Amino acid sequence: MEEEKKERNITSDELKKHNQPSDLWISIQGKVYDVTDWLDSHPGGEIPLLSLAGQDVTDSFVAYHPPTAWRHLDRFLIGRLSDYRVSDVSKDYRLLVAEFSKLGLFDRKDHITAFTLLFTCLLFIVSVSGVLFSSSPLVHILSGGLMGFLWIQSGWVGHDSGHFRVMSSVGLTRFVQVLTGNCLAGISIGWWKRNHNAHHIAVNSLDFDPDLQHMPLFAISSKLFASITSRYYDRKMNFDAVSRFFISYQHWTFYPVMCVARVNLFGQSIVLLLSNKKVPNRGQEIAGVVAFWIWYPFLVSFLPNWTERVAFVLASFAVTGIQHVQFCLNHFPSSVYVGHPCGTDWFEKQTSGTHNIDCPPWMDWFHGGLQFQVEHHLFPRLPRCHLRKIAPLAKELCKKHNLVYSSSSFWEANKLTVGVLRAAALQARQVGSPVPKNLVWEAVNTHG
């Protein structure tokens, strides 16, 4: 009877009906799986499964899971998709992933984590030494900047570890995650993984991708003016008088806000850890964040006066703001959409929603692999040391299928991002009653 059940034919229309947390089916390579009971145990969290529920998820499964994950699928098998089809794009994409796997690229990390950890350690020692052993205000400010640079580097380790095992064992990888994320940077790695997995699955979906949901401060599309509901935060993103005012000037406020954007990550980490949402290893996560809020204020307290303390904190926040800017450059200039991510055009959505930053090889360490945003989204398990060498293959695949492959210099990406923000700001000003203007604004934003 069980074998007959697994051989039953299921249509795509029937598959679509099973898209709720209490009844969740997915299809992978023409086989249908009931993963309802797996939802709470899924290592990547419940959000990816809920976002793609009732769909063929083959491409995203191939992208995010190592070969060892395939052997766990049979226990969920309930039938076969009778009208299963594979697009030419998906065929080529899966062949490319298989080729990378045969070459061992997903397993070879070329010691990038060790180098980054050593560099992070050096930055920490120099920054702390500047505070403790110098009386110069300039050295103290520079030490704050180095602390911010340390947070950027620790962020790259945390980012890598969320996509693949960066150390020799799972336990050691977990230790490095908590150390570099929670303890050194004050950011919950559990929060980051939850947020980042949602972003990757639904890249540039205005209602599913949390990385585009910055109301009331920012809106990159007039579609957000309809006060759509965030499926990540489960709340309405109201476009009211307050948000319209802020958005109307967002192309001016973007960089100042990025200088203190770290505060948002601190807050979101704490909110998640204190919520009733499922957080794996919550005790470790909380202990790590508490450790940060002990050592960082304690270090700042060694500075001689409040002026230098504030300057140190602002310098550390402003420098790490470079990383926040880069996150925006990688997606704000790209196309957006409203609605559920679709498993059958996963490749197309990843390429249309990402933007590369052109830079010479000697700058790769600075960008942490995110300069190859297209490649990273297509092959998220691939260590960043390989992204430059496989970039021509990804670009050729996009060209073959007439798909977007967007890239520009760092400065040009900044111009594009500010341009997107300015366009949305001007549209926001035209909604409802006018926002109070001033002569400076009129001079800079005059049309014609």
Side-chain angles (χ1 to χ4, degrees):
M1 184 61 122
E2 187 67 24
E3 289 301 317
E4 289 181 7
K5 182 180 178 181
K6 291 182 178 181
E7 292 300 322
R8 65 181 281 206
N9 287 323
I10 298 169
T11 65
S12 294
D13 288 337
E14 183 180 356
L15 176 65
K16 291 176 184 176
K17 298 175 183 177
H18 302 272
N19 60 0
Q20 301 299 318
S22 58
D23 180 22
L24 202 161
W25 294 6
I26 57 174
S27 172
I28 300 172
Q29 284 198 334
K31 295 182 179 180
V32 179
Y33 302 94
D34 182 349
V35 293
T36 307
D37 295 335
W38 181 239
L39 187 62
D40 291 335
S41 304
H42 183 228
E46 76 282 2
I47 292 177
L49 287 173
L50 291 173
S51 297
L52 295 175
Q55 301 185 55
D56 171 41
V57 301
T58 307
D59 286 344
S60 57
F61 186 87
V62 165
Y64 298 114
H65 297 81
T68 54
W70 290 87
R71 63 171 177 255
H72 299 289
L73 290 175
D74 281 348
R75 56 179 161 150
F76 305 113
L77 182 62
I78 59 171
R80 299 183 181 277
L81 197 62
S82 59
D83 51 353
Y84 177 59
R85 299 289 184 273
V86 185
S87 69
D88 291 338
V89 178
S90 290
K91 288 178 183 177
D92 286 345
Y93 170 65
R94 295 172 197 178
L95 285 173
L96 199 53
V97 173
E99 185 62 27
F100 291 166
S101 185
K102 288 179 183 177
L103 293 172
L105 297 185
F106 293 110
D107 300 316
R108 284 171 33 210
K109 304 174 180 69
D110 291 359
H111 308 295
I112 188 67
T113 302
F115 291 139
T116 306
L117 288 175
L118 287 173
F119 187 39
T120 301
C121 183
L122 177 63
L123 289 171
F124 184 80
I125 292 171
V126 174
S127 177
V128 172
S129 298
V131 172
L132 298 181
F133 304 119
S134 175
S135 59
S136 168
L138 179 59
V139 171
H140 293 161
I141 293 175
L142 291 175
S143 296
L146 288 177
M147 185 62 68
F149 202 54
L150 177 155
W151 289 341
I152 291 177
Q153 295 304 309
S154 70
W156 300 145
V157 176
H159 178 262
D160 290 346
S161 69
H163 287 294
F164 53 85
R165 197 171 72 187
V166 297
M167 305 301 285
S168 58
S169 68
V170 174
L172 194 54
T173 294
R174 177 62 185 169
F175 173 77
V176 168
Q177 285 181 328
V178 175
L179 176 64
T180 59
N182 301 55
C183 297
L184 276 182
I187 308 300
S188 163
I189 193 68
W191 167 80
W192 179 85
K193 288 174 68 175
R194 176 184 174 86
N195 181 281
H196 200 61
N197 286 341
H199 160 68
H200 264 268
I201 287 293
V203 61
N204 276 31
S205 167
L206 292 174
D207 45 345
F208 280 83
D209 183 355
D211 284 4
L212 297 187
Q213 298 172 358
H214 304 298
M215 302 277 276
L217 295 180
F218 302 119
I220 66 169
S221 170
S222 60
K223 295 175 183 178
L224 288 165
F225 301 165
S227 297
I228 63 179
T229 298
S230 166
R231 301 300 177 184
Y232 178 81
Y233 295 107
D234 196 26
R235 60 175 172 79
K236 195 173 184 180
M237 296 181 287
N238 290 312
F239 180 69
D240 52 22
V242 173
S243 60
R244 188 167 68 87
F245 176 81
F246 284 122
I247 291 167
S248 295
Y249 297 97
Q250 63 182 358
H251 51 308
W252 292 108
T253 61
F254 175 65
Y255 292 108
V257 170
M258 290 300 104
C259 286
V260 292
R262 200 76 179 177
V263 175
N264 178 50
L265 305 194
F266 290 153
Q268 291 206 48
S269 294
I270 293 171
V271 167
L272 176 65
L273 294 180
L274 297 181
S275 73
N276 58 4
K277 292 184 172 66
K278 182 180 178 181
V279 180
N281 304 301
R282 189 188 298 265
Q284 294 177 5
E285 296 277 346
I286 293 175
V289 171
V290 168
F292 170 81
W293 286 108
I294 291 174
W295 77 259
Y296 183 66
F298 186 63
L299 176 65
V300 173
S301 72
F302 278 88
L303 294 167
N305 55 65
W306 278 105
T307 300
E308 292 191 31
R309 291 167 190 165
V310 172
F312 178 90
V313 171
L314 289 179
S316 62
F317 280 23
V319 170
T320 198
I322 297 171
Q323 189 176 59
H324 296 285
V325 169
Q326 173 147 352
F327 293 154
C328 298
L329 304 185
N330 287 143
H331 297 287
F332 280 20
S334 302
S335 65
V336 299
Y337 66 100
V338 176
H340 265 280
C342 180
T344 53
D345 68 354
W346 184 87
F347 185 99
E348 294 90 327
K349 283 292 195 299
Q350 299 299 317
T351 56
S352 66
T354 50
H355 186 87
N356 280 5
I357 306 297
D358 299 330
C359 73
W362 62 269
M363 280 292 289
D364 285 352
W365 66 274
F366 178 81
H367 292 282
L370 297 193
Q371 73 275 31
F372 295 106
Q373 192 70 192
V374 177
E375 289 75 19
H376 170 60
H377 269 258
L378 292 176
F379 312 102
R381 291 188 296 111
L382 196 65
R384 54 184 151 120
C385 55
H386 302 307
L387 293 176
R388 182 173 289 277
K389 67 183 77 166
I390 65 95
L393 299 176
K395 188 173 184 178
E396 182 61 30
L397 187 55
C398 290
K399 181 180 179 181
K400 176 181 178 181
H401 296 283
N402 296 315
L403 298 175
V404 174
Y405 184 93
S406 178
S407 68
S408 66
S409 70
F410 184 79
W411 303 115
E412 184 64 28
N414 274 272
K415 288 170 59 178
L416 290 171
T417 297
V418 173
V420 167
L421 293 170
R422 181 178 179 275
L426 295 177
Q427 290 175 305
R429 293 181 63 86
Q430 296 170 8
V431 178
S433 57
V435 174
K437 300 179 182 179
N438 58 61
L439 293 177
V440 174
W441 193 97
E442 291 283 6
V444 175
N445 294 282
T446 298
H447 291 279

